[in-house]
Amino acid sequence: MADGARIVCRIFGGGERALLLLHGNGEDHTCFQKQFAAFSERFRVIAMDSRGHGESSAGSGVTIAKIAEDAAAVLGALGIERASVVGFSDGANAALGLALSHPGMVEKLALAGANLFPAGVKPRFQLPAELEYRALRLCGRSSERLRRRAEIVGLMVEEPRYTPAMLGAISAPTLVLAGDRDLIRPAHTALIAASLPHAKLVTIPRSDHWIFDRQPVRVNREILAFLG
């Protein structure tokens, strides 16, 4: 990337249609390890390590907007003009950013555990992140490693900053997924689905936020049926 960040991705399968996978906060592409086989039977799957995660470097810093731009750059570098995008948690938030900034690149969206703003997260999950972020920012004054960690945690505290009205500009058909015990407030997930012009909401039973790992058979089936 122009700011010096090195973005690493891995490719599975050789289908004519492209499918970009964007993982959540503090993870890497392996959070989709239970999806690679199923998805790559039909798609050319691009699994990206977001900047500051996995094997990708942080460059000038980590924000949701920069992750979205990195995703567009990865697709461009691979010669992919249009792809469907599956995003989990912060990856879902970045997928929304990609659909807003590069609408022509997005065919369909599957968003799991997305939020429009930090208050969409249930307090018992959000408060520990806020406390950790404050401590890391303080300690990061004397430690580059902790400063970088603060940037990652800060994605959950300071971002994203979308509005329901912004989502009205997204024309891509969208599947909105969440666990029935998700850390995202159910009403907030419903707001996301209601704000997208062409959205379908599916709640995965007996599952928390980590539906790709905990309920892979059901999740894979829902996403593949939606993508067609």
Side-chain angles (χ1 to χ4, degrees):
M1 298 298 293
D3 67 347
R6 176 176 178 267
I7 308 302
V8 176
C9 70
R10 289 161 179 81
I11 299 173
F12 303 85
E16 293 184 3
R17 297 165 64 194
L19 181 62
L20 176 66
L21 307 183
L22 300 175
H23 62 77
N25 189 288
E27 301 177 324
D28 61 21
H29 72 283
T30 60
C31 88
F32 296 109
Q33 60 185 338
K34 295 181 181 178
Q35 283 69 52
F36 294 144
F39 291 175
S40 62
E41 289 182 2
R42 191 182 304 175
F43 296 92
R44 182 186 182 192
V45 177
I46 300 97
M48 188 179 101
D49 282 352
S50 297
R51 65 167 53 212
H53 295 72
E55 295 183 25
S56 294
S57 61
S60 61
V62 183
T63 66
I64 296 295
K66 288 180 179 179
I67 294 172
E69 288 305 310
D70 294 342
V74 164
L75 293 177
L78 294 173
I80 298 171
E81 296 182 357
R82 192 169 174 82
S84 290
V85 185
V86 173
F88 169 59
S89 200
D90 270 350
N93 300 336
L96 284 170
L98 178 64
L100 288 167
S101 60
H102 299 276
M105 300 188 80
V106 177
E107 182 178 352
K108 292 184 178 182
L109 287 170
L111 310 173
N115 61 304
L116 302 183
F117 37 80
V121 180
K122 294 175 181 176
R124 70 176 181 272
F125 296 103
Q126 187 65 10
L127 182 57
E130 292 177 358
L131 294 174
E132 182 183 4
Y133 181 52
R134 293 173 188 170
L136 286 168
R137 289 189 67 188
L138 180 62
C139 297
R141 296 174 183 175
S142 57
S143 168
E144 176 65 13
R145 180 181 64 83
L146 293 178
R147 187 184 72 80
R148 288 295 187 183
R149 174 62 184 162
E151 284 187 337
I152 302 300
V153 176
L155 294 177
M156 297 184 289
V157 177
E158 303 289 352
E159 299 197 63
R161 294 294 177 183
Y162 300 128
T163 66
M166 292 170 68
L167 268 58
I170 296 176
S171 60
T174 305
L175 176 65
V176 179
L177 294 164
D180 62 354
R181 301 189 299 273
D182 210 293
L183 59 82
I184 305 298
R185 299 172 189 261
H188 190 78
T189 300
L191 173 64
I192 292 172
S195 301
L196 291 159
H198 308 287
K200 173 186 177 182
L201 173 60
V202 173
T203 300
I204 306 298
R206 301 180 302 280
S207 192
D208 53 20
H209 191 59
W210 290 269
I211 58 175
F212 288 94
D213 179 61
R214 308 280 170 80
Q215 296 283 356
V217 174
R218 172 70 185 275
V219 169
N220 294 355
R221 183 171 67 245
E222 292 285 354
I223 291 176
L224 288 171
F226 171 74
L227 295 177

